[in-house]
C-alpha cells in the first residue's frame, strides 16, 4: 500500500470534477443508473478516482440491479476502511478509500455467495484500468 494521500480542500476541488468532489469528498451519491460503470463488463482493475489506489477487480463485479456498480469483494486486502453511517436511510456501512479517505459507497450483507456482500460503489468514485491486474504485495 502506498503512503496516505493528503491534500487540501482546494487541491481536491481543482483535481476532481464537481460530481466527483461531491461524492468523494462530501460523501454524496450519484443518481442510480446514471454512472458509466453500471453496465460495464470490461476486464481490469477499478481504482479510486481520487488517488488511483487499486480497489476492485472486474472479476468480482456483478449486476445487482440497484443502479450502481456492485462487487462481491475488494481485491486488495485493506484497500478500504469501513465506517458506520447514520443517514436518513438508517444505519449503513460506508466504504472509504484507505489511501486518501474518499467516500466510495456502501457495503451491504445482501450480496451473492460466496461472500454474501454487495459492495455498492459510485461510478464517479472509480476509474477502470482496463486489462490491468491487481498488484498486491
Amino acid at each position: 500500500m502506498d503512503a496516505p494521500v493528503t491534500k487540501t480542500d482546494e487541491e481536491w476541488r481543482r483535481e476532481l470534477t464537481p460530481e466527483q468532489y461531491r461524492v468523494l469528498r462530501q460523501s454524496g451519491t450519484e443518481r442510480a443508473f446514471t454512472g458509466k460503470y453500471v453496465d460495464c463488463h470490461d476486464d481490469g482493475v477499478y481504482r479510486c478516482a481520487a488517488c488511483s489506489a487499486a480497489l476492485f477487480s472486474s472479476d468480482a463485479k456483478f449486476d445487482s440491479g440497484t443502479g450502481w456498480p456492485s462487487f462481491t469483494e475488494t481485491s486488495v486486502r485493506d484497500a478500504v476502511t469501513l465506517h458506520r453511517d447514520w443517514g436518513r436511510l438508517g444505519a449503513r456501512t460506508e466504504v472509504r478509500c484507505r489511501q486518501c479517505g474518499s467516500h466510495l459507497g456502501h457495503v451491504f450483507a445482501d450480496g451473492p455467495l460466496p461472500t454474501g456482500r454487495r459492495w455498492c460503489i459510485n461510478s464517479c468514485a472509480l476509474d477502470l484500468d482496463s486489462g490491468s491486474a491487481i498488484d498486491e504485495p
Side-chain angles (χ1 to χ4, degrees):
M1 179 112 2
D2 293 332
V5 174
T6 54
K7 296 181 182 184
T8 66
D9 189 56
E10 185 55 38
E11 289 173 312
W12 287 121
R13 283 184 187 275
R14 276 195 313 266
E15 293 176 19
L16 301 170
T17 68
E19 181 182 33
Q20 286 176 320
Y21 181 82
R22 184 181 63 77
V23 170
L24 292 160
R25 305 312 303 170
Q26 296 180 318
S27 300
T29 301
E30 65 192 2
R31 285 189 6 250
F33 300 101
T34 63
K36 63 183 175 181
Y37 297 125
V38 173
D39 291 318
C40 179
H41 303 286
D42 297 346
D43 291 336
V45 174
Y46 287 89
R47 297 182 178 276
C48 175
C51 72
S52 298
L55 302 171
F56 301 96
S57 169
S58 58
D59 293 339
K61 191 170 186 286
F62 72 99
D63 183 6
S64 67
T66 62
W68 291 276
S70 296
F71 303 86
T72 56
E73 62 186 346
T74 60
S75 44
V76 176
R77 190 172 13 129
D78 299 329
V80 300
T81 58
L82 303 178
H83 307 270
R84 208 61 172 151
D85 177 359
W86 297 93
R88 58 186 163 92
L89 299 176
R92 300 183 296 176
T93 303
E94 178 189 19
V95 180
R96 289 190 169 269
C97 174
R98 181 176 298 278
Q99 190 163 298
C100 70
S102 289
H103 170 79
L104 303 171
H106 293 86
V107 62
F108 302 94
D110 61 1
L113 295 175
T115 66
R117 293 225 168 157
R118 174 174 52 94
W119 298 81
C120 190
I121 307 298
N122 291 285
S123 283
C124 71
L126 301 170
D127 281 326
L128 177 59
D129 187 356
S130 294
S132 182
I134 295 292
D135 299 328
E136 187 171 8

